[in-house]
Amino acid sequence: MTLPPDVHSAEPIPPAAREAIEALLQSGDLFRYTAAKDSPVALLEAEFAALLGVKYALAVSSCSAALFLSLKALGLPRDARVLLPGFTFAAVPSSVVHADCVPVLCEVGNNYRVDLDDFEAKLGGDIKAIIISHMRGHTSDMDAIMALADARGIPVIEDAAHSLGTTWAGRNIGTLGRVGCFSFQSYKMINAGEGGILVTDDADLVARAIIMSGAYEHNWKKHPVLHDAFARWQNQLPLYNLRMSNLSAAVIRPQLPELLQRVRDGRKNHDYVAARLNSSPYIAVPDALPPEVRAPDSIQFNLCGMNDEAVLAFATETEAHGVKVQIFGLSADNARAFWNWQFMPEMPELPQTRAMLMRACDVRLPVRLTRAELDVVAEILLDAADAVMAPAQAYGT
Ligand SMILES: *Cc1c(COP(=O)(O)O)cnc(C)c1O
């Protein structure tokens, strides 16, 4: 019998990382700017930019740091209003607060994507920048969002933390806005424990971000040559020191060639489990929008026709059988429920997003899971829904 898999353990790190780390430990060369050139962090930036087809990449300590630096590099004034979806991780509005700006939340639909009517309405409220958080890799309608933003000259930052490998109409997510930010935290497609990277084609923006990330004195010369852009900013900007260490880059680089396979496996696994779950009258997995090709390492679904009590009973039932389900709005102090972001300078009410969060479930599906393990997960979820909603049938009494 196949046991429920541990969905929180990660993929093993490829053996090539060991050699690179051993060499770093021998030389003690852990700081990205010690070597004259070709430090692991610099090589990672070049490889990542090539992988995504962008001009510039800057590796930093986390995706949150990348979002913060993006906002600072846009040169937003204090108290600038930044529009973002009401369904995201607390670190995203936090990055806005960190940058001395004011987060403004818009509604998100039952399909976890930005509600375009509310988005457009809130754009009228003196918005200076937009962060589109592709939460759990779900891509909002980027054609509509970019058209609305471009018409008003408002820059878009993509929070692509969980979207590495996702495409929209054949283009890489993270390359559609002015700047895109990715995460290498352990629950993302590439795992370094911690780490982030921002990508852009904007030389001036990346120059500012590089300096603020901690390229003090003339360390910026170790980045692809952008002399005009840099010369203007020398000594003009604060140094926030959010650099990546060579050790992290050594862990990340050998994973990059595995990305395509991970994306394919993750999508196949997700779509298999989604089809099984959609056979239940009590579970709905929203479809991707047509231009999106997803790169999932988890699955989200909505419970249908259940009250709060039934939803909680469903979670208790699945956990008793070995699959932990997070219900974004019902688990205590959840960092993805906007009403828990009590640090927000302005707290809106978002009835539609709130209703979605009260029924939306989250289960990790690491890309390494086997078909038998996926079946175990799907059956536990399906049986739990039946046990809660149709106990007579489930237990055959
Ligand atoms: C993980 C995640 C973040 C934060 O990334 P860190 O690297 O941990 O700062 C931000 N946004 C989304 C959508 C995420 O999934």
Side-chain angles (χ1 to χ4, degrees):
M1 195 189 106
T2 309
L3 294 171
D6 173 3
V7 295
H8 290 277
S9 69
E11 276 67 43
I13 305 297
R18 278 172 211 278
E19 276 166 53
I21 289 168
E22 186 56 37
L24 287 174
L25 296 184
Q26 281 294 329
S27 65
D29 186 8
L30 305 183
F31 181 52
R32 69 162 298 169
Y33 291 127
T34 303
K37 60 183 182 70
D38 293 344
S39 74
V41 178
L43 293 173
L44 167 64
E45 287 168 346
E47 289 160 1
F48 199 84
L51 182 72
L52 287 194
V54 293
K55 285 193 186 142
Y56 310 111
L58 171 65
V60 291
S61 53
S62 69
C63 180
S64 304
L67 290 167
F68 163 75
L69 285 171
S70 300
L71 291 164
K72 296 305 279 184
L74 285 171
L76 299 174
R78 183 174 288 270
D79 294 332
R81 298 173 71 77
V82 178
L83 186 59
L84 66 152
F87 178 40
T88 185
F89 183 57
V92 179
S94 302
S95 72
V96 178
V97 171
H98 190 189
D100 293 321
C101 297
V102 178
V104 178
L105 305 181
C106 73
E107 289 269 29
V108 168
N110 254 339
N111 64 353
Y112 320 132
R113 289 158 174 90
V114 168
D115 177 302
L116 289 173
D117 291 336
D118 195 50
F119 178 80
E120 184 169 5
K122 291 201 168 136
L123 268 187
D126 197 24
I127 297 298
K128 294 285 189 283
I130 296 164
I131 298 179
I132 295 298
S133 213
H134 303 298
M135 187 55 172
R136 289 290 187 272
H138 298 289
T139 308
S140 296
D141 184 341
M142 287 307 288
D143 294 338
I145 287 169
M146 292 310 300
L148 289 167
D150 287 346
R152 292 162 179 78
I154 304 175
V156 173
I157 298 169
E158 283 183 86
D159 167 18
H162 220 145
S163 295
L164 183 56
T166 304
T167 58
W168 176 264
R171 297 169 65 197
N172 287 311
I173 284 300
T175 67
L176 306 176
R178 179 85 65 86
V179 43
C181 302
F182 295 87
S183 175
F184 300 120
Q185 185 268 343
S186 288
Y187 289 166
K188 311 301 157 93
M189 199 55 97
I190 290 184
N191 164 24
E194 302 283 359
I197 197 161
L198 68 83
V199 299
T200 184
D201 286 332
D202 183 329
D204 207 53
L205 185 147
V206 82
R208 288 191 298 258
I210 287 169
I211 290 175
M212 288 189 282
S213 78
Y216 61 94
E217 294 163 355
H218 288 188
N219 278 316
W220 51 261
K221 289 179 179 159
K222 295 174 182 172
H223 288 264
V225 183
L226 293 165
H227 285 279
D228 292 347
F230 276 111
R232 286 181 55 203
W233 296 108
Q234 184 72 54
N235 299 344
Q236 301 298 310
L237 296 167
L239 303 171
Y240 294 106
N241 279 11
L242 300 165
R243 295 173 299 253
M244 179 180 277
S245 141
N246 279 340
L247 277 176
S248 302
V251 172
I252 294 165
R253 291 181 60 220
Q255 296 180 61
L256 294 181
E258 296 193 353
L259 178 64
L260 271 180
Q261 188 62 45
R262 290 185 188 182
V263 168
R264 274 195 293 265
D265 292 347
R267 188 161 56 236
K268 200 167 80 193
N269 290 353
H270 172 278
D271 292 353
Y272 176 73
V273 174
R276 289 211 57 187
L277 296 185
N278 275 331
S279 71
S280 166
Y282 314 117
I283 301 182
V285 185
D287 285 332
L289 300 181
E292 180 188 358
V293 179
R294 303 195 53 208
D297 58 12
S298 64
I299 189 164
Q300 290 71 44
F301 54 88
N302 297 325
L303 295 174
C304 314
M306 294 191 193
N307 59 21
D308 286 359
E309 197 186 6
V311 170
L312 287 169
F314 170 83
T316 307
E317 182 74 13
T318 63
E319 190 169 1
H321 290 89
V323 174
K324 202 161 165 33
V325 175
Q326 156 172 252
I327 296 138
F328 294 107
L330 281 176
S331 68
D333 297 320
N334 195 297
R336 300 147 203 89
F338 64 87
W339 54 88
N340 289 327
W341 307 337
Q342 289 168 24
F343 56 84
M344 294 269 292
E346 297 172 13
M347 181 60 85
E349 188 39 52
L350 303 171
Q352 185 183 314
T353 307
R354 181 184 286 268
M356 177 276 285
L357 291 167
M358 297 304 272
R359 294 294 175 269
C361 300
D362 186 30
V363 176
R364 276 179 48 76
L365 283 183
V367 303
R368 65 182 153 71
L369 296 194
T370 62
R371 185 55 63 96
E373 289 172 322
L374 298 171
D375 279 325
V376 171
V377 172
E379 269 149 36
I380 289 170
L381 297 173
L382 290 164
D383 289 349
D386 285 344
V388 169
M389 296 301 283
Q393 284 156 290
Y395 296 119
T397 49

